[in-house]
Amino acid sequence: MRLQTILLMIPLLPLVGDLTAGLFRHFVGRAGAHTVTILAVGLSFLLSAYVAWEVFFNNLPVLNYSVYTWAISDGIRFEIGFLIDSLSALMMVVVTFVSLMVHIYTIGYMKDDPGYQRFFAYINLFTFAMLMLVMANNFIQLFFGWEAVGVVSYLLIGFWFKKDSAVKANLKAFLVNRVGDFGFLLGIAAVLLYMGSLDYAEVFAATPAVEGQTMTVLFGWEWQVMTVICICLFIGAMGKSAQVPLHVWLPDSMEGPTPISALIHAATMVTAGIFMVARLSPMFETSVTALSFILVIGAVTALFTGLIGIVQTDIKRVVAYSTLSQLGYMTVALGVSAYSVAVFHLMTHAFFKALLFLAAGSVIMALHHKQDMRQMGGVGRYMPITAATAWLGSLALIGFPFFSGFYSKDLIIEAVKLADRPGVAFATFAVYAGVVITALYSFRMLYLTFHGPTRMDEETRSHAHESPWVVTVPLVLLAIPSVLIGYFTVVPLLFGGALEDAIFVREAHDVVAQLAYKFDNGPFAFGLAGFLTPVFWLAMLGVGLATYIYLFNQALAERLKQRLIWPWTVLDRKYGFDELYQTVFTGGGLKLASGLSRGGDRFLIDGLLVNGSARLVGRLSGLLRQMQSGFLYHYAFAMIIGLVALMASFVLLR
């Protein structure tokens, strides 16, 4: 089979599965729906793994070709095309593997749901959209995948559309992403305007010529063209990858079923923004201003959204806020030009974050869809496999030495320390503080859920048991890379040149190259050294606080809450972002609409133009009606007056 045929099959197989499960659900039935969709994404994963093998082990040259040209206008080609290099090959494997685990897990989680077949159709379509995004070789296809994952996320977050909260959550996600996508579209338009192409290769080739150009923006300010383009593109990433202040939709996405929470947070949707900036590294490297902006936004997100996770009581929302914080870490890495480290953390995070979400879903299943950790406790005694995998995922999340998250997260912190650009001081503080915060909320979740005295009611406790194999097998399979993938891939991906064909970094910005010496003795020695670093002891500080408060002295947590009620309230209200947007944008929009309705519609259009013209005609006709008396001498008199006036006008004009 030709390689190009294989590449075409990788995204099309999930699309075929989606159409089969969605359009022919009455013919294939429930079992047929999950069979065809799992088979489709499974084959897509195997083919992706084959392509990755060819790229990383057999030195397959970069493939950049057009599949189909659907329009040509003024020399601009609008195409479907694939760019297959190390970055896209890595993303294809991550997306399809995590998606496959989520598909299998869904059999157990959604078994009693009336929308069973519809859900499988949606997640297959989600996989197709993300694959089209990561395989794209041009901005048009990138934008197609970008919007497609947004539309499918809207459908999945609001999957239980009879719940008012789910409908509000999917609308919120849709609207917030439209804000980011507006900036993204402006960036693409500027690329076309200044570079005359939408093909990645042609745009990258034209970038040096545009680098020195300026443009006039608001208030007559002169800005570098590349700075404006990169910031606009990154605003799109702020929406998709949930960076402050466009982060508010991601926690509310928990209204969807747990499998889609795992897929959105781990392998699709939120990783799209990180991938996009890494893919466009030749452009972002031209603007230190844009990179500094990215750095500060990432640092703010990593620190302040992590703090919110400390006060959450919903098990899924704790994991959701950890996603926000870790996305901030990835964005910080992008901001210091450590694109490869950001992608590396994206990969490791995909495995352990999917694991944590699916473990949370396993608990929710066992406890009859209870999600409040205050009503749990001691669950580990009934669910040992789920508890063990959740522990492994949490250790990876906090960056415990030798776990996958240790290698990627520790290197982000080291890269920030080496960088030299505005915002580094604050980012350094944020990523160090984030280590303590991550460990605190992670172990708080473990202790409140799996350990300590049980707080379950008797009915819930009597039904608590380990989940079926279709749930536990994906947990185990995700736990393996959560532990091992970092150890085996850190050197080849970051220091062996594996991503050099896809990521461009200027020599003056290359902080990753300065970290190579740390791996002179291999990843094992680096892992051992991790036990002696400040990062490790900061993590242990967070673990120690969580252990003392939530395992041995839970009454202290309530006392601390009462003493620190003001900061606790600020965190519980999520810094007031929702209220701000509700008041300023929603409330302001409603008031503007009401004002336009009263002033524009009722007064101007209805009052003056429509009804006003009718009243004017009525009054004129009333006056004219008074002149129509029906007496002949009145008309003769009027004619004489008119004739005199006409003769007078002729005399005056002469």
Side-chain angles (χ1 to χ4, degrees), residues 55-67:
V55 169
F56 290 112
F57 296 100
N58 291 335
N59 299 316
L60 178 72
V62 174
L63 296 175
N64 184 8
Y65 66 97
S66 173
V67 176

Side-chain angles (χ1 to χ4, degrees), residues 71-88:
I72 300 177
S73 176
D74 293 330
I76 307 300
R77 302 177 68 88
F78 298 89
E79 299 177 328
I80 296 171
F82 292 154
L83 172 58
I84 306 302
D85 55 15
S86 56
L87 179 59
S88 54

Side-chain angles (χ1 to χ4, degrees), residues 625 627-642:
R625 188 165 56 248
M627 297 174 64
Q628 304 297 319
S629 65
F631 294 105
L632 183 61
Y633 63 86
H634 284 172
Y635 301 143
F637 181 74
M639 291 172 64
I640 292 170
I641 294 297

